[in-house]
Amino acid sequence: MNSGQVTAGAPDHGFVYTPVWFTGLGPEVRVEQTYGAGNPLVSGHRRALEDGSGGPAQAAGQASVVSSSGAVLFGTEPLFRDHPKGEFAQVARALSTVAHAHGGTGEESG
């Protein structure tokens, strides 16, 4: 489910080899996208570990893309195999969001 500026207009699906999800988020972190409820796996296979963790059921409803004032983290793979139909816009919006948060100067920090 898309719920933020970075994922606005993004497809209802994403490509993922090894999904990551984010929990225990602080108040300054925005959830931009979550994995679907139930079994979010549309195609392919994803097995849980022997202890039952890490499978699709555990990812269901969890935050898959999060942002704060200076960073955007993807638990999905928007650059999957260099042909993620409809997902390049997420990367562009993420870069724009971070650049805007840092004044948009284009200069490196650190």
Side-chain angles (χ1 to χ4, degrees), residues 38-108:
N39 182 356
L41 185 65
V42 175
S43 177
H45 57 87
R46 174 82 180 151
R47 293 185 182 152
L49 301 174
E50 287 185 27
D51 67 0
S53 67
Q58 193 174 11
Q62 298 291 339
S64 56
V65 179
V66 296
S67 66
S68 68
S69 63
V72 176
L73 300 176
F74 289 92
T76 58
E77 297 179 42
L79 298 176
F80 181 85
R81 293 186 181 173
D82 273 348
H83 60 79
K85 183 178 180 183
E87 295 189 25
F88 280 138
Q90 289 182 52
V91 175
R93 283 192 290 273
L95 292 170
S96 176
T97 297
V98 172
H100 181 69
H102 292 284
T105 63
E107 296 178 14
E108 290 187 31

Side-chain angles (χ1 to χ4, degrees), residues 24-37:
L25 304 172
E28 69 284 352
V29 177
R30 291 180 302 278
V31 174
E32 299 278 345
Q33 184 180 70
T34 58
Y35 290 111

Side-chain angles (χ1 to χ4, degrees), residues 13-28:
H13 62 278
F15 297 98
V16 183
Y17 266 146
T18 306
V20 173
W21 51 90
F22 306 98
T23 61
L25 304 172
E28 69 284 352

